Amino acid sequence: MNTIIIYFSGSGSTRIVANTLSENLSTDLIEIKDLKSRKGFLGNVISGVDAFRENKTRIFPETIDLEDYNLIYFGTPTWAGNPSPAIITLIDKCDLQGKDIVLFATMSNSGGQSAIKRMEEKVKNRGARVVESFTLRTKNKSYADLEEDCINIAKLLDLNLFNQN
């Protein structure tokens, strides 16, 4: 079974989680880039509004061919209790019919479960089945702490089980 982790990261925390998962589970890995400037205070406010309204954004790559993958991870930071516009934009472009999905969301304080719930609705509407999901709090954690937390979650949820043929 071929597995890929697709993620968007704003501050770098989601990137650490995705990279740690990829290294430990031996998966392919693609980072989605949001081409809209989201820097500074105003950028943060606009990002929260865009996430809340599910506004689409320009992303790179624009689409990903997932034909060769049976298991797909989608990872996102939580913005205003929602997934990032970049991940929602990508999910809405993907053919997920018959795919198994693992969802993860990073969050500073809270809102990760609502972001997971919304992504779950989106991928199910595209014909996929969610086999697992998790959230990870990032506030005041070093990258080493995030890596350790991620490895512990992967073991706890036995994520390696889903990678078996």
Side-chain angles (χ1 to χ4, degrees):
M1 176 184 294
N2 291 326
T3 303
I4 189 168
I5 297 173
I6 303 168
Y7 71 97
F8 167 78
S9 185
S11 67
S13 297
T14 308
R15 181 179 302 111
I16 293 297
V17 173
N19 286 329
T20 302
L21 285 172
S22 183
E23 289 171 13
N24 284 276
L25 301 174
S26 299
T27 72
D28 291 342
L29 180 69
I30 295 179
E31 180 175 7
I32 301 303
K33 299 288 187 182
D34 188 334
L35 300 178
K36 184 174 186 176
S37 176
R38 298 188 180 277
K39 295 183 185 203
F41 176 76
L42 185 57
N44 284 337
V45 171
I46 291 169
S47 295
V49 170
D50 284 350
F52 181 76
R53 292 183 177 170
E54 287 190 15
N55 291 338
K56 300 299 185 269
T57 190
R58 288 183 23 241
I59 57 173
F60 180 83
E62 287 184 33
T63 61
I64 299 171
D65 182 1
L66 299 173
E67 185 176 336
D68 293 336
Y69 298 99
N70 298 332
L71 179 62
I72 303 161
Y73 285 67
F74 287 109
T76 184
T78 302
W79 292 354
N82 292 287
S84 64
I87 283 297
I88 290 299
T89 298
L90 180 71
I91 289 171
D92 283 347
K93 292 181 175 189
C94 288
D95 178 6
L96 301 175
Q97 192 66 41
K99 305 292 185 182
D100 287 337
I101 307 291
V102 176
L103 302 170
F104 65 95
T106 59
M107 60 192 173
S108 180
N109 287 314
S110 62
Q113 285 301 328
S114 61
I116 292 287
K117 182 179 177 190
R118 186 60 187 134
M119 284 194 301
E120 184 171 0
E121 292 167 354
K122 292 291 229 175
V123 299
K124 283 182 175 180
N125 285 341
R126 304 211 52 84
R129 174 178 72 132
V130 175
V131 296
E132 192 57 82
S133 65
F134 66 91
T135 61
L136 185 61
R137 282 190 72 179
T138 61
K139 188 172 186 174
N140 299 325
K141 290 185 180 177
S142 68
Y143 285 163
D145 290 340
L146 289 176
E147 288 173 347
E148 183 179 341
D149 287 354
C150 183
I151 290 168
N152 289 335
I153 287 171
K155 287 178 184 173
L156 178 68
L157 298 177
D158 201 11
L159 294 179
N160 213 20
L161 173 70
F162 298 111
N163 285 0
Q164 306 302 313
N165 288 325

